[in-house]
Amino acid sequence: RHRDLISHSTSSCRMASLKRVAEAAGKHVPWGGLGAGTYTSSTKGCFDVIARTQPLVKSALARALAARESAGVANAAPFAIADFGTADAGTSLPLMRAIVASVREAEPEAPVVVHYEDQALNDWQSVFQLTSGALPSPSVPTYMDGSIGNVYVLASGASFYERCFAPGSIDLAFCATAMHWLTDVPCGVPDALHSACSADAAAREAFAAQAAADWEAILLQRAAELKPGGQLVVANFATDGEGQYLGTSRRVAQAMHPTFSELWLEVAGEEVHRATNFPNEYRSLEACTAPFAADSAVTAAGLRLESAECDLVECPFLNEWRAGEVADAADHAKRFVPTTRTWSNSTFVSGALACGRSPAEAAALADEMFARYEARVAADPDNHAMDYVHSYLHMSRA
């Protein structure tokens, strides 16, 4: 569900508006090929993150159903669900199945339409294979198995920085682990690959400003798409009050992003390392809630913040290792590392391409970097993990 944009060393912050927002070119080709459900097979932790949203989604769904009842359209007009930044749709399938079942129980006659959004180069083959139940592995139960009737699947290859669905058309919108991706990097990060690791004040300030403008743009687009009384639940990658963020937590001694940086410098050299930056920001909870001030554009657009909290979801691979469910350290590393690569591979490749390496050379550098990371994890499996730190937000449309 992570959205990789090509790395650039310079850019400028863009103001939010309902007009089309310019984005960096070069959306990634999903790592691992198309049509095999690789993202779902590799990113077990996303199932846990999405499960963590269930209480918020349950509350949001109740509000959306009540709004339809008040509007006099319950059990008649289609109930529209949107899943933004869906990747291959597998990790959200259990949640979508629960939502569809709940809507069908509340409104037996209403059509239910599940809209999936991701970039045009997304692994759409896997989206349709997984939602239809055609992939034998990974095996994820789907709402399209014939047990629930009058349900439809649609897809949009538009960016979530744009209007993806018709104005006033969505009852319940959802997004997990995607909206931390920025339209572009505002500047190079001189001492790290990711802004969260940087001690450079100017770079951190530039990324925070870009992230603020981009977040406002995203919220304005979602406000336009939601029906009156429509609901939005988002799990955003975050930095918490203790300085924990994706792959950096108190549970392990080794932090993922600094390890990436060290190994990438060894493998690719200083020039490529300098050209490689993750175009995303792990916003604080305060940054996520800032657009909801009384006099803000988001508030004027009718979007209201219902709740906001920050929480850590533990890396399932580390937990399985520590529980003895995987006995061999090399096997553990081979199982774990792909969950870090599904979303990061393109950033490394694009950094190499920006320095004139051929596609084959860039891919080989990334292969070598992740091979070294796998060896590093195998040598010290207790101290490497990808714990997930998120803000969990529930919003509603007036």
Side-chain angles (χ1 to χ4, degrees):
R1 308 184 69 81
H2 313 264
R3 178 168 303 218
D4 300 325
L5 308 181
I6 195 166
S7 302
H8 293 284
S9 58
T10 60
S11 182
S12 59
C13 294
R14 295 171 169 83
M15 299 302 293
S17 75
L18 286 180
K19 298 179 180 179
R20 185 169 183 174
V21 177
E23 292 187 65
K27 301 294 191 299
H28 78 110
V29 176
W31 179 75
L34 302 176
T38 301
Y39 184 87
T40 290
S41 296
S42 301
T43 49
K44 295 174 64 175
C46 277
F47 284 94
D48 299 331
V49 170
I50 292 172
R52 171 66 178 76
T53 70
Q54 286 180 350
L56 295 181
V57 172
K58 183 177 180 180
S59 175
L61 178 57
R63 287 171 177 258
L65 290 169
R68 288 167 58 85
E69 187 72 34
S70 296
V73 298
N75 213 31
F79 190 100
I81 304 162
D83 182 4
F84 289 91
T86 190
D88 65 13
T91 56
S92 64
L93 260 182
L95 179 66
M96 293 297 129
R97 182 181 171 90
I99 293 170
V100 170
S102 295
V103 173
R104 176 57 67 244
E105 182 179 1
E107 300 188 13
E109 302 302 324
V112 180
V113 185
V114 184
H115 304 74
Y116 289 103
E117 181 278 337
D118 211 301
Q119 59 182 329
L121 290 179
N122 184 49
D123 182 6
W124 291 109
Q125 293 182 40
S126 289
V127 171
F128 299 120
Q129 295 262 46
L130 285 165
T131 55
S132 68
L135 275 181
S137 178
S139 179
V140 185
T142 175
Y143 51 85
M144 295 295 287
D145 60 0
S147 61
I148 306 172
N150 205 13
V151 182
Y152 308 90
V153 172
L154 300 176
S156 170
S159 165
F160 53 56
Y161 283 102
E162 301 174 17
R163 189 84 54 79
C164 301
F165 306 111
S169 66
I170 302 297
D171 291 284
L172 177 62
F174 176 80
C175 179
T177 66
M179 290 176 174
H180 60 294
W181 289 100
L182 305 178
T183 51
D184 201 351
V185 292
C187 63
V189 181
D191 58 343
L193 300 181
H194 197 286
S195 62
C197 310
S198 178
D200 186 89
R204 291 181 71 97
E205 183 178 345
F207 270 81
Q210 181 78 63
D214 286 353
W215 180 228
E216 183 184 66
I218 289 170
L219 294 175
L220 290 173
Q221 299 290 17
R222 304 296 78 79
E225 294 164 342
L226 289 172
K227 296 177 182 178
Q231 306 290 307
L232 171 63
V233 174
V234 176
N236 259 339
F237 275 119
T239 299
D240 70 11
E242 300 178 44
Q244 299 180 113
Y245 54 88
L246 182 68
T248 295
S249 73
R250 291 173 296 155
R251 294 211 307 147
V252 291
Q254 303 301 322
M256 180 187 68
H257 275 295
T259 303
F260 280 171
S261 183
E262 176 189 341
L263 294 176
W264 190 233
L265 181 60
E266 289 178 6
V267 169
E270 184 176 348
E271 179 192 18
V272 173
H273 183 275
R274 188 168 56 250
T276 306
N277 292 131
F278 283 90
N280 59 50
E281 176 82 350
Y282 302 153
R283 299 177 182 90
S284 67
L285 190 61
E286 292 74 20
C288 286
T289 60
F292 295 94
D295 59 348
S296 71
V298 170
T299 298
L303 201 60
R304 305 285 186 269
L305 181 65
E306 300 295 340
S307 68
E309 57 186 320
C310 197
D311 198 13
L312 182 146
V313 169
E314 294 180 347
C315 175
F317 295 97
L318 178 62
N319 287 349
E320 289 170 359
W321 167 257
R322 288 181 173 177
E325 296 175 27
V326 181
D328 181 73
D331 182 47
H332 162 70
K334 190 176 295 292
R335 294 171 70 250
F336 164 68
V337 168
T339 204
T340 72
R341 190 171 186 179
T342 55
W343 53 271
S344 66
N345 188 76
S346 289
T347 296
F348 294 109
V349 169
S350 63
L353 292 174
C355 293
R357 305 300 192 272
S358 70
E361 290 170 331
L365 288 172
D367 285 344
E368 177 61 22
M369 198 282 289
F370 281 105
R372 294 191 187 191
Y373 186 41
E374 186 176 311
R376 185 77 65 91
V377 173
D380 189 14
D382 275 310
N383 280 306
H384 291 273
M386 197 174 81
D387 286 343
Y388 296 78
V389 181
H390 284 82
S391 59
Y392 294 89
L393 308 166
H394 173 198
M395 295 153 275
S396 65
R397 176 71 165 83

